[in-house]
Amino acid sequence: VVQQFGPQRLSGQNVVVTAGGTQEPIDPVRYIGNRSSGKMGYAVAQAAVTMGAKVILISTRPELPVPAGLHKIIYVETAAQLQGTVSSVFEGADVVVMAAAVADFKPDQYVTHKIKKKPHPTDMQLTLNQTPDILAMLGQQKTHQFLIGFAAETEDLLQNAQTKLTAKKVDLLVANDVSQADRGFGADQNAVTLLRPTAAPETLALADKSVIATQILERVANLLA
Ligand code: CTP
Ligand code: CA
């Protein structure tokens, strides 16, 4: 095996990255969302381009600058749209990075008009359903793809992340403590622990998301080599 060094270590690899939080509409003016900024996913997409990969970015964040050198960017809003779009490019992918924060819950019914205030606030109810687990679905369907998941946790980081690694059949899980303001959601920096099915956990120290992204993809390049 020839180990390649330098910036082109992912050349010839088709990499799909999902980024940002999905939005599940309640009515034409409201949605259920989450605090994901999309920065980590964008950093991964940019780092993959720099390492020579052909990158498709699936994003919920049209306001963010488009990373230079992408093969394609596709914008989505909902978990269902994200699922459909990832599925359509999954077969041709070598590496899939599920950095998107998929909303876990969506309104049972979309109301086509703006819901008006009620005379009695206690009348208000919103019935929710769970969205499909896209990463778990990909874990079931994968043939040759290298799957990377993220775990956002506020407590019991490693136990919860380990459970997700196994349950979703991912090859590399990036465990992220989102209870601290200097890292994770919205921050420019991150500190993560990488979990793999058959190796000891590896902690990456607090650093810019671009640095963390490169470190993650270096591990992937090593494993693909
Ligand atoms: N994920 C997904 N589809 C969902 C929910 C999550 O594909 N409906 C993916 C995320 O993109 C992430 C991983 O699963 O890569 C873990 O997401 P996380 O929110 O940490 O875990 P959940 O399985 O949703 O569990 P919980 O939120 O209850 O901790
Ligand atoms: Ca979740």
Side-chain angles (χ1 to χ4, degrees):
V1 174
V2 178
Q3 179 107 347
Q4 243 188 306
F5 292 97
Q8 296 301 305
R9 295 195 59 206
L10 289 178
S11 67
Q13 303 289 343
N14 292 308
V15 175
V16 173
V17 182
T18 69
T22 67
Q23 300 182 353
E24 311 302 325
I26 298 168
D27 70 14
V29 300
R30 306 180 180 95
Y31 62 84
I32 294 174
N34 61 68
R35 293 186 184 280
S36 170
S37 63
K39 286 177 188 170
M40 193 63 231
Y42 270 63
V44 172
Q46 186 69 78
V49 169
T50 302
M51 290 170 70
K54 187 170 163 187
V55 181
I56 297 176
L57 176 58
I58 304 171
S59 168
T60 69
R61 295 269 171 207
E63 74 280 11
L64 290 181
V66 179
L70 285 183
H71 175 61
K72 198 194 272 189
I73 187 162
I74 305 169
Y75 293 109
V76 297
E77 282 184 1
T78 65
Q81 290 167 359
L82 182 60
Q83 180 182 27
T85 306
V86 178
S87 297
S88 71
V89 295
F90 190 56
E91 180 57 36
D94 300 300
V95 179
V96 178
V97 186
M98 278 295 298
V102 185
D104 293 316
F105 314 109
K106 68 174 174 69
D108 186 42
Q109 302 260 352
Y110 174 72
V111 180
T112 55
H113 60 270
K114 183 185 173 191
I115 300 168
K116 301 304 285 182
K117 285 186 286 188
K118 303 274 191 299
H120 304 290
T122 48
D123 290 346
M124 298 299 298
Q125 287 204 23
L126 187 60
T127 305
L128 301 177
N129 273 330
Q130 233 159 264
T131 56
D133 192 320
I134 301 167
L135 183 58
M137 180 197 79
L138 298 178
Q140 291 294 333
Q141 291 176 358
K142 72 176 174 182
T143 49
H144 59 282
Q145 296 89 346
F146 189 95
L147 262 193
I148 303 177
F150 280 68
E153 307 293 348
T154 59
E155 57 196 357
D156 301 328
L157 176 70
L158 289 188
Q159 291 102 295
N160 284 331
Q162 182 65 47
T163 303
K164 288 173 188 174
L165 174 80
T166 311
K168 302 187 192 222
K169 299 192 196 308
V170 304
D171 300 294
L172 180 71
L173 191 106
V174 183
N176 207 166
D177 180 351
V178 292
S179 67
Q180 300 183 58
D182 63 350
R183 62 197 66 179
F185 287 159
D188 289 323
Q189 294 196 313
N190 211 350
V192 301
T193 301
L194 306 183
L195 302 182
R196 289 175 44 213
T198 54
E202 181 188 9
T203 296
L204 305 181
L206 188 67
D208 280 357
K209 286 182 173 174
S210 60
V211 173
I212 299 288
T214 302
Q215 289 174 316
I216 293 169
L217 293 179
E218 287 290 343
R219 305 303 182 273
V220 175
N222 289 342
L223 291 164
L224 294 177

